[in-house]
Each structure stands twice: as C-alpha cells, then as structure tokens.
Amino acid sequence: MIDCVESRLLTSRRSLLLGGAVFAAWAYLPKFAHAADGRDPRLIVVILRGALDGLSTVAPVGDPDYAGLHGSIALAADGAHPAIMLDSFFALHPSMPEFARMYRDQHAAVIHAVATPYRDRSHFDGQDVLESGYAGPGRVQSGWLNRALEALPRGERVSSGLAVGPTTPLVLRGNAPTVGWAPVALPQADDDTAMRLVDLYRHRDPVLASVLSQGLQLEKAASGDDMKPKPGNQVAQMRQVARGAAKLMAADDGPRIAALAFDGWDTHANEGGPVGRLAFLLGGLDGALAEFESGLGDRWRDTVVVVATEFGRTARINGTDGTDHGTGTIALLAGGAVKGGRVISDWPGLKLANLHEARDLKPTTDLRSVIKGVLQGQFGLSDRVLAETVFPDSAAARPMKGLVA
Amino acid sequence: MARDSQAALVALNRFGFGARGGASGDLVNAASDPRGFVKAELARPNGVLLEAPGLQSTPQLGQAVFAYQDQVKQAREAAKAAAPTEPPQQAPTDQKPGLRRNLSLNAVATGIAGQMSDAKPADNAAKPDTMQPGASAPPAAKPAPQPLNVIQKTFRAEALARLQRATLVECGFTERLVVFWSNHFCISASKGELARIWAGAFEREAIRPHVLGRFADMLKAVEQHPAMLFFLDNQQSLGPDSRAGQNRKRGLNENLAREIMELHTLGVGGGYTQEDVTSLARIITGWTFAGRQGQLGTPGSFAFNANAHQPGPQTLLGKTYEATGLAQGEAALADIARHPSTANFVAAKFARHFVADDPPPALVARLRDVFVKTDGDLKAMAMALVDSDEAWKAPLTKMRSPYDFLVASGRLLARVPEDPGAYINNLNLLGQPLWTPAGPNGFPDTSAAWAAPEGMKLRLDIAAQMGARLGPNIDPLDLLEFAAADAASIETRRTIERAESRQQALALLLMSPEMQRR
C-alpha cells in the first residue's frame, strides 16, 4: 500500500523503473576486486533518527558521575541485566550481544563523545547537518554519501548507491545515481508516532484519543506479544530491511554503498534501562547488524557499517524517566573491515563543569572525522576531496586514521 | 486588513477541502474575507461542471460496456478452442542517471533484468512501487500486467478528474456541494459493470449541473439517469396492466419509488404511505434506458418505454395524476420536490453535513424557509448557510470523512494527483470506497461513523506512509502555517516541533485535530 498522494516526481520515477534496465550500469563493470589489495569494499550507513542516547548504549560505567546522572535508567556491570564490559571503563547495553561478539572479534568499534558541528537541539536541523555534510542546516539537497560516490573513479569500483526505504535519505541524495529498495510488508505507523499522537489527542481531542487508543490496542491484541519479533514489529522490520539490503549488496554486481534510516530513538519518556523501550530498539539494531553480517557472507570481510545519529541526549535523566535533546553521543562501526575491539574516545568526563552547557556529554570528536576516516580507508578518497567536496569546509576535521583494517 | 485565522479555518475546512500548501496563500486570503472567500466559488459561471479530455457521455459509456461484454464473450468462446499463449515480456528501456530507481532482490540475485513490474494499477491492488524481497524464492517470470478494461479505465479517469478538481480548486465549497448531493442521490458502482462505468458520468450529468440550480431539476435528472434506473432496478419494473406486464410474468418493482420518497425527498416519516410508494412505482414504470439493441433509442440513453408504463391515472399524496405517459411521472416528481417534508428533510441534512451532527434548529428552520421561498434554489440555500452566524460560530467538531481527509492532505501537500490508484486504494481501506456506499442511503455523515478505532488506526498508518514518502522534502512548520497558522493549537504546534523527524512531523500534522476535524 502506498501513500494517497501521487506526485509528479513519484510518477516519473515510476515510469523509469518500469523500464527495468536497473542493472545495465553494473553489467559491464569489472569484477570489483581492487587491483592493489584485492579488496572489494562495501559501506553501509545507518542513521538513527531521533537522537540516540549514547550514554545508555555504551555506558561510561567507570565514570563516577554516570550512575547519578543517568539515575534509574543507568546501566551497570552487575545486576539482573548486566551491561557487557567493553573495556575497564565502557560497557555495552545488554541487548546488543551480536555487536559485543563482533567487538570481541575485533570487527566492531565504538567512537564516544562524538557530534556533528551542530550545537542546537532541533531534530530536523540536526538531521540536515548529519546527512548533508555541511556545517550548518542549509537545506542543501545533496548528501555527503552521494558526493562521495560522485568523487569515486566512475565505472570502476562503485557505480550506484542503494537507498533502502520508501524514499532516498538525504545523505544519499544528489547527482550520483541511486537505486531504491524497500520491503513490501504493509508499513505501519511506529509506536512512537502513535504514542505522540495519542498524547496530542489527550490534550486536544479526548474522543479521538480514546478511539485511536482502542484501535492501537486492537492491533496489538491481534498481533500477540509485543516484544517478540513478528511481521509489523519494529524489531522484525529492522531485521527484514537489513536482510534485504545485505542480499542486494552481496551480489557480485550489486551496489557497494547503501544508506538507510531507523526511526524511534527520541526517548523523552520511559526510556528504560537494561530493559524497556530503548533496549527493544537496540535489540533491533543489533539484529540488523547480524543480518548484514550473515547476508553479506564473504563480503562482510570488506564491509564497514557506520551507525550515526543527529545528536545525543541529556546526561541527566528528566522527570519522566527519559532524556531530552543533548549533544555528544556515540558512533558505531561494525564489519569485517573495521579495525575493532576498541572504544575510541577523548573522554571529557561527566562532572557538571565538563558537560556541554551543563547538560550534555561534551563532544570531543567530530563525527565528520570518523566518517572521513572510513571513506578514506574504504575507498581511498583524498583529504582534499573529503574536506572540500564531501564535507565542505571541513579541513579542520582531519580524517581519523586506522579505522579500517 | 483584518485577519481572522479562526474564521479562515472555518472557511477552508467547514466549507471547503482545507488549505492548499505551496504558494496558494489560501489561509491568508480566507482570513482577510472569510465569507467572500467561500462565496467566490459560487459566483464562478460553470465552475461546477467537470469536463476533461476523454470523459464520455452516459450513452457512449453504455455502448462501450456492451461492446466490451461482446468481446469478452467472443474471447471466451475462442479460448475454448485455442491454447493459452505466453504473456509478452516487457522490453527494457534506457535508464537515466541521477534518479532513484527501484530494485528487485530477485533480479539482482539472478542477474535477470527487465522484470520490474509495478505496472499493476488495478483498483484493489495495494502495491508500493518497490519490490518484495522473496530472496530465497526462485525467480518466477512475472506475467505481464493485465491491461485495464474499458470499465476500469473509465472509473479511474472519472476518479482522477474529480480528485484533480478537488485538489486544485481554491476553496472547495462547490466540490463539497457536489460530494454532498452525489452522496444524497447516490448510486453504487458495485451494482454491476454499467454502474461502475457510469458512476462518474452520473455525477457529472445529473448532479453537477444542478448543484447551484433547482432541487426539482436535480431530482428529475437523477431519477431519469440510466445509472439510477439501473441501480434501483427500475428498468425491470413493469406496469402490471401495461402491454409488457401482461405479456410477461414480471410486474412492479418498488425499489426506486420507495427510495425517491424515503431517501431523496420526503424522508422517513415525511407523510407518505405504502399506497403512495406503490402509486409512484406505477407512475414511473417505463422509465428505463435503451438497451444494446437500440429499440428504444440510442443504446445507453434514457428512454420512456410506453409498453411497460402502467396505464391510467394515479393518486399520489392525495393528488391525482392523469395518464400523460412520461409527463405523469415528471409532474409527480415536481410536486414531491416542493413538498414541505422535502424542504425539512433537505435543510436538516444540509445543515448536519456542513455544521454539526446536531445542527442548530434555528439554522435548519432558516434553510428550510429559503428552500420553500425560492422553490428549491440550491444556490440560495448554500448562500444562506454561508450567511448564517451559526455556521461560523459552531466549533469545528465534525470528523472529516476519509475522502475529505485524503483530499485535504493532498491539497496541503500541494500534490496534484496524476494517478488515482493510491486514493482509490486508501478509500477502500478506510471504508469509503469511491462511489460505492453500502446502501442507497449513501455513506454515513456523522462523526461517530468515521471516528472509529480501526479507521483511525488505518488513517495513522496512511499518514505515516505519506510522512515517510514526502516528509523529507517538506518543512513541517511551514506546512502548519499553511494549514492553520496561528489558529493551530499550542499542543499541535509543540507536537510537530518536537517530532523526531520531518517524516514523523508530517504524519502527526496530517493526523492533528486541525486536519481531522472540520
């Protein structure tokens, strides 16, 4: 089922795809093995929309201020649901065992206290900065990943980017051609959107609040236990999307670069600690990473998955057992090409004086440096192209070295 | 210039289909002169008529159905002899760079190109323009999409013309009037092939020309339209004493006569008896349409079959109508149209649709008086509604019907539909299939009918999809300005500002009370 609104854009796109020559561009490509090192690199960018709580995903349990600030939702290395110690200081959320395994195998890494150059608190603008690759929200209609594609030697290693989902995320929009794929399963509004709407109705339209709540309950009742993966469940959807994308990218003539987005990370209320809402979502992300690994098969060896979000959340929990819009957060890298087993961080500390605006984890690493490091490691893009074209005016954010094995 | 955003909301949503997005300036225009904004549409000459290239008349469409039915019959007979043939493969065409194309896992997995089949615009098929993974399944060759038959093509063309008009008009009041009267005098496209192909033409020919004209003229046009005669079986009704009635076993069918009085004019309790129903049924015997043989006239056109008409005078509602053939029924309808019960029934339904489920009695009385005084001038009644204080003071509590909701969303997003498929699918899902109500009483017109649990959940799903599709390219706060400006509630504004993505913000805006209520 699709939206009720057919646009000219969609229609013309549809007429194009009916032509069916989607693969022609790849058909004449050489087998992709890079002459010098025999590698055939792949890059997947996963955007978590809503601003992930980095302090709850990779918790600085060794920081003496962490437990107090994060209060009832803080992770701990002991208890009923112990966090997984990554080193002596940082611990991973217990709902991410697959990432933990990749980390132990040196194929996953965490970069902590990162942020884009954006310092305000609007999701929309934060996502614009994250995806456009510009230093400020400027409503630019192209993304850094598309510009990176354009900068690659044409027709050689990578020809088209794969946009997973109903639309192409901004990060992959631009002049370089992209192909799209989305799972066909009937899309449903996610729980977070439904919750926000019920809340709005409660304040403005009690009749609609009650009616919509009933409708949502009917659906839950019809689909059974909320926490088990099933069609329509957000966790199942994340896995399904990753499985499909991996399958496409595993093909010899498949796309080398993909971008997708997972929604629902805006945890203002009832965020939960080792169990609960965030745990549920992180479990979905973990499952998606595992699907990428198994679906890419031998190609996993040459793959890097970058997981990034528009900004972090407040260090201190709020009055509704959640966290508000913050700044510093994490980026995750996973894949056989990652030089992993490390949490990379210039840790700023969580003392009040060290927090950004006395609220947020202070960013000490520019996310652009991380992404530049990955692009350089995977595709050999030059410092100059990265600083001028891919991330304009970013020379100060030097590519991070040694992220790719 | 005084600006009244609250009145603009009423002008756009109570009377119209909501503000258009983009550069329309609808909200600003409506806010500076709310009543004038609404009335401007009523003043436009021929603004209600709908003509679009390719839309055909009822007789032409009737003949197309007859021809199609003949073809199907011949093909079926031919198929008995011949062996089935392979469906033709679609030829690949050149791709263009810089645009997103959609991708099939099957095709990648097998290296087979040229099977991107999203070309199934069937009315009921709910397919997105992307492909199912089915990665482990063998790459089955997809059959070429079935070409649409003339009935489906016509239905979609009629739907598209109506949707485009509703999306593009400035206020939408006349289009709302069309939808109101079309639902009042409804037929159902599910009755059969003729009803389906005629559904749009019926509205264009019998409703639109009279929406700002006289009720009696609309009544006559409707009851003599082949679509209505077919829908309520009058073409089968034979006067028991007519020549055809005596030759055959069949006799009177009261269906149309009953609905004329119960649903179209007097209303239940409007003072008619079973005797009157039978009498009117006799009076309109012989009202039919010419069949494929054309014995009664151009195939597919209205015809009076004197052979089926009950002879003799008839008494209806205390008045005797002499045996004047076709004119007997026309005289009866003219009297029913100006009956006091009709004025009451129409005025109450009109006020209920536009103002509130329980409309202010004073408003209903005033509309009734206008109807009586002007001998059923529907433009005068519409003007009286716009001129009333009640229509501007009553809170916006009516629930938008699915059709209203989808059109209002399309307008706000400034998307002119080029394909009606998604609208048709969503209307099916939401329980208001286009031109296809469950019974001759039309779609319900109360808030409770549309504010139902499953319906609201489905609306949310549809809004979320629209958000996912279109959200990345819009600024949700700009859109809120177009939709409601400072008449938006603080809660709605905050909810949209705080959404975690533009996609989510758009879904929430479309579902907000400002967009769901009118």
Side-chain angles (χ1 to χ4, degrees):
Chain A
M1 192 185 60
I2 32 181
D3 59 343
C4 88
V5 181
E6 292 282 323
S7 71
R8 292 198 159 82
L9 178 67
L10 289 177
T11 309
S12 61
R13 183 197 296 158
R14 171 177 304 216
S15 59
L16 271 182
L17 72 94
L18 289 177
V22 168
F23 310 103
W26 297 333
Y28 59 79
L29 293 175
K31 292 293 173 197
F32 277 64
H34 193 227
D37 54 16
R39 288 173 66 245
D40 182 5
R42 276 154 176 79
L43 173 64
I44 300 168
V45 176
V46 178
I47 289 162
L48 307 182
R49 291 192 201 284
L52 169 71
D53 184 355
L55 292 173
S56 279
T57 308
V58 177
V61 293
D63 189 306
D65 294 299
Y66 167 70
L69 283 169
H70 242 48
S72 62
I73 63 169
L75 300 183
D78 49 20
H81 302 279
I84 306 160
M85 292 307 293
L86 295 177
D87 56 25
S88 60
F89 190 84
F90 291 106
L92 179 69
H93 198 284
S95 62
M96 299 194 73
E98 300 284 354
F99 186 83
R101 173 182 54 75
M102 295 172 192
Y103 184 94
R104 276 195 306 274
D105 295 344
Q106 320 276 303
H107 292 152
V110 177
I111 299 91
H112 220 316
V114 296
T116 69
Y118 182 70
R119 289 292 172 273
D120 292 318
R121 299 175 194 279
S122 152
H123 289 302
F124 310 148
D125 289 346
Q127 286 163 26
D128 261 0
V129 171
L130 169 64
E131 297 188 55
S132 72
Y134 280 73
R139 309 292 289 122
V140 182
Q141 281 306 314
S142 75
W144 57 261
L145 190 54
N146 190 286
R147 293 192 301 274
L149 259 175
E150 262 192 299
L152 294 172
R154 213 159 284 249
E156 212 179 285
R157 304 172 86 183
V158 180
S159 74
S160 278
L162 172 67
V164 181
T167 52
T168 305
L170 175 59
V171 71
L172 196 44
R173 269 183 261 157
N175 293 328
T178 61
V179 291
W181 172 80
V184 146
L186 179 76
Q188 294 186 338
D190 60 49
D191 289 350
D192 180 54
T193 308
M195 229 168 55
R196 288 168 193 251
L197 185 60
V198 170
D199 191 53
L200 170 59
Y201 285 168
R202 276 204 189 108
H203 288 98
R204 293 298 310 176
D205 201 324
V207 172
L208 288 188
S210 136
V211 162
L212 179 61
S213 301
Q214 286 172 48
L216 295 165
Q217 276 162 19
L218 282 175
E219 185 188 69
K220 284 229 159 70
S223 54
D225 179 2
D226 199 23
M227 300 303 272
K228 265 188 264 156
K230 59 184 178 286
N233 166 306
Q234 216 173 338
V235 163
Q237 279 174 9
M238 286 192 224
R239 294 192 76 120
Q240 185 190 11
V241 160
R243 197 180 309 138
K247 180 84 186 170
L248 292 166
M249 297 182 75
D252 280 346
D253 54 357
R256 279 7 189 206
I257 286 179
L260 57 138
F262 293 139
D263 300 342
W265 305 87
D266 194 11
T267 46
H268 278 288
N270 304 315
E271 177 174 324
V275 293
R277 183 162 157 234
L278 181 63
F280 180 68
L281 291 170
L282 288 172
L285 175 64
D286 200 51
L289 293 173
E291 293 286 354
F292 282 131
E293 181 185 28
S294 60
L296 280 162
D298 291 345
R299 304 299 185 190
W300 183 246
R301 194 184 52 209
D302 298 332
T303 297
V304 176
V305 183
V306 178
V307 182
T309 185
E310 69 263 25
F311 45 70
R313 312 200 65 82
T314 48
R316 189 186 301 278
I317 62 166
N318 63 21
T320 53
D321 295 326
T323 47
D324 295 312
H325 298 182
T327 309
T329 184
I330 56 166
L332 301 177
L333 304 180
V338 174
K339 204 185 273 181
R342 308 177 282 162
V343 178
I344 300 163
S345 178
D346 175 8
W347 188 245
L350 294 175
K351 296 229 173 303
L352 195 61
N354 296 337
L355 294 178
H356 175 71
E357 296 180 351
R359 328 172 9 129
D360 313 333
L361 175 63
K362 181 183 286 180
T364 53
T365 299
D366 192 321
L367 181 62
R368 294 174 297 182
S369 295
V370 179
I371 295 168
K372 284 174 159 187
V374 170
L375 288 171
Q376 195 157 69
Q378 283 292 75
F379 304 112
L381 289 176
S382 72
D383 282 12
R384 205 178 133 192
V385 164
L386 289 169
E388 291 174 6
T389 310
V390 180
F391 292 98
D393 298 322
S394 68
R398 308 277 306 157
M400 195 177 270
K401 301 287 178 196
L403 293 175
V404 174
Chain B
M1 201 178 334
R3 270 193 57 182
D4 185 344
S5 295
Q6 194 58 42
L9 274 197
V10 174
L12 285 159
N13 298 295
R14 165 151 295 148
F15 292 107
F17 279 118
R20 294 168 299 173
S24 75
D26 282 348
L27 201 96
V28 176
N29 294 341
S32 61
D33 178 13
R35 278 188 169 89
F37 184 79
V38 175
K39 285 181 179 175
E41 259 182 26
L42 303 186
R44 214 158 286 152
N46 294 329
V48 198
L49 299 180
L50 182 58
E51 283 159 7
L55 296 187
Q56 294 180 293
S57 71
T58 289
Q60 287 171 320
L61 293 170
Q63 288 156 41
V65 170
F66 298 146
Y68 168 72
Q69 289 169 341
D70 289 343
Q71 273 173 24
V72 170
K73 198 174 154 198
Q74 283 164 16
R76 203 180 293 133
E77 280 158 10
K80 279 178 193 161
T85 52
E86 286 293 312
Q89 278 274 336
Q90 234 178 335
T93 57
D94 287 347
Q95 61 178 4
K96 289 179 191 155
L99 271 177
R100 172 188 162 119
R101 288 158 289 112
N102 286 303
L103 196 52
S104 150
L105 281 176
N106 273 345
V108 163
T110 60
I112 293 173
Q115 294 181 15
M116 311 305 292
S117 99
D118 182 48
K120 197 188 170 199
D123 294 347
N124 301 318
K127 291 199 100 180
D129 58 356
T130 47
M131 298 288 296
Q132 173 66 27
S136 56
K142 297 222 174 204
Q146 219 33 30
L148 296 181
N149 66 39
V150 66
I151 298 161
Q152 293 164 314
K153 264 190 214 157
T154 302
F155 189 85
R156 292 170 64 88
E158 297 276 4
L160 184 61
R162 192 206 221 213
L163 288 162
Q164 287 182 333
R165 166 67 65 83
T167 308
L168 287 168
V169 286
E170 193 165 0
C171 168
F173 188 35
T174 52
E175 289 304 300
R176 284 280 306 282
L177 289 168
V178 168
V179 172
F180 171 80
W181 288 113
S182 181
N183 192 53
H184 178 79
F185 288 114
C186 70
I187 62 146
S188 171
S190 67
K191 175 80 173 182
E193 290 179 332
L194 281 171
R196 194 159 189 83
I197 205 167
W198 277 340
F202 169 72
E203 187 176 282
R204 283 188 290 113
E205 295 169 353
I207 304 292
R208 286 185 180 272
H210 309 294
V211 151
L212 298 178
R214 290 179 64 248
F215 180 79
D217 295 336
M218 191 190 290
L219 182 65
K220 179 181 156 190
V222 160
E223 312 303 357
Q224 291 188 342
H225 196 280
M228 182 61 80
L229 296 167
F230 176 70
F231 174 53
L232 292 177
D233 307 312
N234 207 65
Q235 89 282 15
Q236 298 176 20
S237 182
L238 303 179
D241 303 319
S242 70
R243 201 181 308 164
Q246 287 177 326
N247 290 347
R248 297 195 225 160
K249 292 268 184 279
R250 285 186 313 167
L252 216 50
N253 184 317
E254 291 178 0
N255 204 3
L256 179 58
R258 178 178 304 283
E259 305 307 12
I260 286 174
M261 289 197 280
E262 179 184 328
L263 300 174
H264 298 171
T265 58
L266 308 172
V268 181
Y272 61 92
T273 64
Q274 175 55 41
E275 283 297 294
D276 292 319
V277 171
T278 311
S279 191
L280 181 58
R282 286 195 215 102
I283 289 173
I284 59 172
T285 45
W287 290 29
T288 185
F289 55 90
R292 64 177 70 213
Q293 312 305 338
Q295 283 149 342
L296 293 166
T298 308
S301 63
F302 172 72
F304 177 70
N305 182 3
N307 276 337
H309 184 65
Q310 174 73 7
Q314 303 291 338
T315 302
L316 176 71
L317 299 166
K319 181 174 169 182
T320 300
Y321 295 86
E322 295 307 324
T324 51
L326 175 60
Q328 187 183 36
E330 291 177 342
L333 283 190
D335 287 339
I336 294 174
R338 59 167 64 96
H339 194 283
S341 295
T342 299
N344 280 326
F345 183 58
V346 165
K349 196 168 172 181
F350 199 70
R352 189 178 312 120
H353 176 77
F354 281 101
V355 179
D357 288 358
D358 294 310
L363 174 63
V364 175
R366 208 167 327 121
L367 295 177
R368 181 198 57 211
D369 292 347
V370 169
F371 188 95
V372 170
K373 208 179 297 169
T374 62
D375 197 17
D377 183 334
L378 299 181
K379 184 174 177 181
M381 193 169 69
M383 290 292 240
L385 179 74
V386 181
D387 281 329
S388 77
D389 286 337
E390 289 96 333
W392 297 88
K393 278 185 189 151
L396 292 160
T397 53
K398 285 282 281 193
M399 193 67 195
R400 275 204 161 114
S401 73
Y403 182 81
D404 289 2
F405 162 57
L406 296 173
V407 168
S409 302
R411 284 169 64 87
L412 184 59
L413 291 160
R415 302 272 155 165
V416 182
E418 288 190 347
D419 181 313
Y423 281 86
I424 289 170
N425 291 337
N426 284 330
L427 286 169
N428 289 345
L429 264 179
L430 294 173
Q432 197 182 25
L434 188 63
W435 290 314
T436 313
N441 53 343
F443 291 108
D445 193 25
T446 57
S447 295
W450 298 123
E454 180 66 9
M456 287 308 292
K457 166 65 185 140
L458 285 167
R459 277 189 203 205
L460 172 58
D461 290 342
I462 288 168
Q465 287 169 53
M466 285 195 257
R469 282 282 171 111
L470 306 171
N473 298 312
I474 57 114
D475 182 327
L477 292 171
D478 282 355
L479 222 53
L480 181 64
E481 286 307 305
F482 295 139
D486 50 317
S489 75
I490 289 166
E491 291 86 347
T492 294
R493 186 171 294 278
R494 270 199 204 127
T495 300
I496 289 161
E497 279 167 0
R498 290 176 180 176
E500 74 170 11
S501 62
R502 286 195 176 87
Q503 290 90 323
Q504 185 181 57
L506 177 54
L508 291 167
L509 170 59
L510 296 177
M511 291 305 293
S512 67
E514 286 83 347
M515 286 294 291
Q516 293 297 326
R517 303 278 191 181
R518 61 171 180 83

